[in-house]
Amino acid sequence: MRTAAALLIVTLICWAALVVRASHIVYPELQSLEAKEVDKELRTGYHFQPPKHWINDPNGPMYYKGLYHLFYQYNPKGAVWGNIIWAHSVSTDLIDWVALEPAIYPSKPFDVKGCWSGSATVLPSGMPVIMYTGIDPRERQVQNVAYPANLSDPFLRQWIKPTYNPIINPDQGINASAFRDPTTAWYGPDGHWRLIVGSKENMRGIAILYRSRDFKIWVKAHHSLHAGDTGMWECPDFYPVAVAGGSRPHRSGVDTRELHNRAVAEEVKYVLKVSLDLTRYEYYTVGTYDHGKDRYTPDPLFPDNDYGLRYDYGDFYASKSFFDPAKKRRVLWGWANESDTVPDDRQKGWAGIQAIPRKIFLSRSGRQLIQWPVEEIKSLRGNHVNVSNKAVKSGNYFKVTGFKSVQSDVEAAFAIKNLDKAEKFDPAWRTDAQGLCKKLNSHVKGGVGPFGLWLLASDDLKERTAVFFRVFKTNDTNYVVLMCNDPTRSSYESKIYRPTFAGFVNIDIAKTKKIALRTLIDHSVVESFGAGGKTCILTRVYPRKAIGDDAQLFVFNNGESEIKVTNLHAWEMKTPTMNQPE
Ligand code: DQQ
């Protein structure tokens, strides 16, 4: 009987895998199977998650009348992608969330087959408007707007879709099945709104540009805002960032709506982020935006291709940022999918979380973006332990005791004793940090590193996830720092997809001789921020032994050079109210 059931599931999965709609795999037989039970062991404690079922992209984040709003792609009927609606939650602090009734769901011919991703724009009158992709009866992707029914309700519970939708149709030159995910609109000096929609032309990704005077009639520009040879561009995001030396602190956010003001427009840089349907990762460039010509040009420093800089080198997709007027910052949301199997998700009764919202800004040097968990999450810190000035000799490790690490926030700084021990860097590795981390993983001894954390680890270390650094030298004075996440030993379960993830860290290690790591651990998610948020890696892991109170935290050093933990602070994290209904 069990074999027959297993066979049926395998057959279903193989068949379903052939049917790929948009970027998500469709499992018609599973998508409306209500979860009977919800697994609590691996469920996250302080990450954004609904009580059950599937979630994907964050949609339309915004701040309105004292509340943060987050909408997200949600399957109310099952733990796989399908039946997608815009679920809706609100929070006063980005920590405790209240789940409201769904905001947008298929109800009209222009979205009867699906309500996909989109963004919110707060108009100068204070009126928020959502623009989202609807799937029409012919399976065409069209863009629709929705307005709040009652502006005096800060919860914005009810949304109205005007009958004049769709407001943007795929015209003849556009591939109607690759035309989605409108951005927040920005206002030009000519008094016209602009926004972009993700698309592709053959294998070329494009950000199709539209303009409108009244947010109702939208006209396609003669040229796209930008394009690149990286396949379909999903969930584009385009926004201004402050630069160091300008009139505002470079860490503060810039409201997209301020761009009609030339003085503001001239002292900022612009970020274009695209989500690549082909590889399932995102990259961004920073550049200049010519308001008159409506063209975006990435700075030469930023590769505008598959080797581009990423927000996150792990499992982080379909992200979207918004300007938070309450704290004058830009906040980034991103979806982290599961990496276990579909039968596991069915059994767990849930799939998908949102990463901890991150404050995002341009580094002082202007060479990259910096991300840091929003300051509010510190309010969840509880029981605390501290280790300082502890040397870890080559091949040694120690356990951090006195606190429960399964749901925790760990900040550590590692000083390197002898940089001369660094291994030689092969320039061919420059474009393949991930491959390098796979080859030289946490158990391969090195010169300087691997050193870092083993977390969600069983006492016998048979299960463990490694987050670590390794330093290479290019010549006698120059070094390359690699940050890695190695989950290959994270679980006894052999079927789980466990890729190593990695990115290079842009720091002058010869000068600092020290590197910082912050890691947010939450049962089945590990979110790491290297060197103060220069390199970020999120990974999903599913330990079988290292769960609950049995999950341990260790510091290890598998490199020849001694390492000193100059300081390590670790806090247990409390569980906020996560998406309880009103
Ligand atoms: N998810 C949505 C699409 C988007 C994709 C559908 C990205 O609008 O392109 O759920 O994950």
Side-chain angles (χ1 to χ4, degrees):
M1 185 68 190
R2 285 179 78 179
T3 328
L7 253 172
L8 178 69
I9 289 176
V10 171
T11 318
L12 279 175
I13 289 167
C14 295
W15 171 67
L18 299 173
V19 191
V20 179
R21 181 169 156 187
S23 47
H24 305 282
I25 300 176
V26 184
Y27 302 95
E29 302 301 316
L30 304 180
Q31 64 187 7
S32 300
L33 289 183
E34 178 94 23
K36 297 223 165 48
E37 276 166 45
V38 173
D39 170 271
K40 298 219 166 51
E41 210 67 77
L42 293 167
R43 226 181 129 69
T44 62
Y46 60 100
H47 280 73
F48 185 99
Q49 210 179 354
K52 61 181 180 181
H53 293 159
W54 164 277
I55 78 168
N56 57 289
D57 320 354
N59 291 155
M62 69 171 150
Y63 183 82
Y64 181 74
K65 292 197 173 160
L67 287 178
Y68 292 100
H69 290 253
L70 181 66
F71 306 86
Y72 57 95
Q73 297 276 282
Y74 181 55
N75 180 355
K77 297 183 181 164
V80 299
W81 188 87
N83 309 306
I84 292 293
I85 61 165
W86 277 46
H88 184 192
S89 298
V90 289
S91 168
T92 53
D93 56 6
L94 295 167
I95 301 296
D96 289 298
W97 290 91
V98 173
L100 303 176
E101 286 300 306
I104 298 174
Y105 41 86
S107 63
K108 303 278 179 191
F110 48 77
D111 65 8
V112 71
K113 294 207 159 182
C115 295
W116 290 8
S117 287
S119 308
T121 305
V122 181
L123 303 182
S125 63
M127 160 86 87
V129 45
I130 280 172
M131 194 185 286
Y132 69 99
T133 299
I135 311 299
D136 79 2
R138 289 156 55 200
E139 306 255 343
R140 293 181 329 145
Q141 297 174 9
V142 300
Q143 318 311 322
N144 305 314
V145 279
Y147 287 91
N150 175 9
L151 276 181
S152 59
D153 170 21
F155 288 79
L156 300 172
R157 287 181 179 85
Q158 230 194 315
W159 290 78
I160 291 172
K161 305 167 187 170
T163 49
Y164 55 73
N165 278 316
I167 52 165
I168 305 181
N169 275 295
D171 68 19
Q172 280 204 331
I174 294 176
N175 176 346
S177 57
F179 180 55
R180 54 184 180 268
D181 312 334
T183 58
T184 294
W186 66 96
Y187 204 45
D190 57 0
H192 286 227
W193 289 101
R194 287 121 166 94
L195 57 76
I196 52 177
V197 180
S199 187
K200 70 169 177 182
E201 230 172 52
N202 302 317
M203 286 315 286
R204 202 164 159 72
I206 5 176
I208 307 182
L209 177 69
Y210 288 85
R211 297 193 191 95
S212 171
R213 186 182 284 282
D214 54 6
F215 229 93
K216 191 170 169 187
I217 297 170
W218 289 84
V219 178
K220 190 169 99 172
H222 290 301
H223 58 82
S224 59
L225 182 79
H226 198 57
D229 292 323
T230 40
M232 172 68 191
W233 283 2
E234 297 187 308
C235 302
D237 198 6
F238 184 63
Y239 56 88
V241 278
V243 294
S247 63
R248 68 182 88 208
H250 75 285
R251 289 169 183 235
S252 63
V254 185
D255 189 345
T256 312
R257 291 179 303 165
E258 282 182 70
L259 297 186
H260 63 282
N261 177 338
R262 274 196 196 278
V264 173
E266 273 158 23
E267 68 164 37
V268 297
K269 284 273 182 182
Y270 295 81
V271 176
L272 177 64
K273 181 278 303 186
V274 291
S275 306
L276 305 182
D277 193 11
L278 282 180
T279 54
R280 312 302 289 160
Y281 70 71
E282 315 190 302
Y283 79 90
Y284 70 86
T285 52
V286 177
T288 48
Y289 168 53
D290 181 329
H291 284 255
K293 297 200 175 102
D294 257 335
R295 282 200 193 269
Y296 167 73
T297 314
D299 288 352
L301 208 59
F302 292 86
D304 188 12
N305 52 37
D306 280 331
Y307 306 125
L309 294 185
R310 300 193 211 168
Y311 285 159
D312 194 294
Y313 291 85
D315 182 352
F316 188 90
Y317 194 69
S319 67
K320 192 170 293 293
S321 71
F322 74 104
F323 174 71
D324 168 11
K327 294 210 167 172
K328 305 247 174 302
R329 60 184 171 181
R330 183 158 288 273
V331 175
L332 176 71
W333 282 102
W335 163 50
N337 198 0
E338 303 301 311
S339 60
D340 57 359
T341 63
V342 168
D344 282 340
D345 291 345
R346 287 260 315 119
Q347 209 169 7
K348 300 203 306 268
W350 50 267
I353 59 166
Q354 304 297 345
I356 293 296
R358 304 171 178 182
K359 175 172 166 168
I360 186 164
F361 52 92
L362 190 62
S363 68
R364 189 173 284 283
S365 70
R367 295 167 69 95
Q368 68 168 114
L369 294 168
I370 306 289
Q371 298 160 76
W372 201 241
V374 291
E375 60 188 12
E376 287 87 336
I377 78 153
K378 287 190 180 170
S379 67
L380 293 175
R381 288 174 170 179
N383 189 23
H384 165 248
V385 290
N386 173 233
V387 176
S388 53
N389 289 324
K390 192 169 169 85
V392 195
K393 289 202 173 6
S394 174
N396 281 7
Y397 61 87
F398 69 89
K399 182 153 117 183
V400 181
T401 53
F403 91 119
K404 293 179 184 168
S405 64
V406 73
Q407 192 174 310
S408 61
D409 182 353
V410 182
E411 290 200 55
F414 305 95
I416 297 161
K417 189 162 181 192
N418 191 353
L419 265 180
D420 294 340
K421 300 266 182 217
E423 299 148 86
K424 191 140 178 33
F425 187 73
D426 177 346
W429 293 338
R430 253 291 162 217
T431 50
D432 191 12
Q434 193 164 328
L436 179 56
C437 172
K438 189 172 177 191
K439 187 168 120 109
L440 300 180
N441 60 33
S442 54
H443 11 281
V444 178
K445 285 197 184 317
V448 178
F451 63 83
L453 304 176
W454 284 326
L455 41 87
L456 294 176
S458 56
D459 243 327
D460 59 8
L461 283 170
K462 286 203 170 130
E463 278 192 343
R464 66 194 194 213
T465 294
V467 182
F468 63 92
F469 299 104
R470 197 183 263 273
V471 182
F472 300 90
K473 80 173 124 186
T474 48
N475 56 39
D476 284 347
T477 46
N478 287 309
Y479 297 87
V480 174
V481 180
L482 179 74
M483 176 172 160
C484 258
N485 189 306
D486 177 5
T488 48
R489 298 193 181 174
S490 57
S491 167
Y492 273 132
E493 183 62 66
S494 58
K495 286 182 295 250
I496 293 169
Y497 170 64
R498 280 175 292 200
T500 42
F501 289 125
F504 293 108
V505 193
N506 185 12
I507 57 165
D508 185 353
I509 197 89
K511 197 164 140 201
T512 61
K513 300 212 168 55
K514 210 173 164 182
I515 188 158
L517 174 67
R518 180 171 182 192
T519 296
L520 303 174
I521 304 166
D522 197 2
H523 302 263
S524 60
V525 57
V526 178
E527 256 189 276
S528 300
F529 301 81
K534 285 188 159 178
T535 303
C536 309
I537 305 179
L538 187 155
T539 196
R540 304 303 310 275
V541 288
Y542 308 93
R544 298 292 186 238
K545 281 179 80 176
I547 51 176
D549 292 355
D550 295 330
Q552 313 293 347
L553 175 72
F554 294 83
V555 173
F556 78 98
N557 176 19
N558 233 342
E560 255 183 82
S561 165
E562 184 175 306
I563 296 299
K564 189 175 359 161
V565 178
T566 52
N567 235 323
L568 183 149
H569 291 279
W571 294 265
E572 289 176 11
M573 293 292 268
K574 295 175 203 141
T575 304
T577 307
M578 189 50 71
N579 281 317
Q580 294 309 314
E582 245 187 299

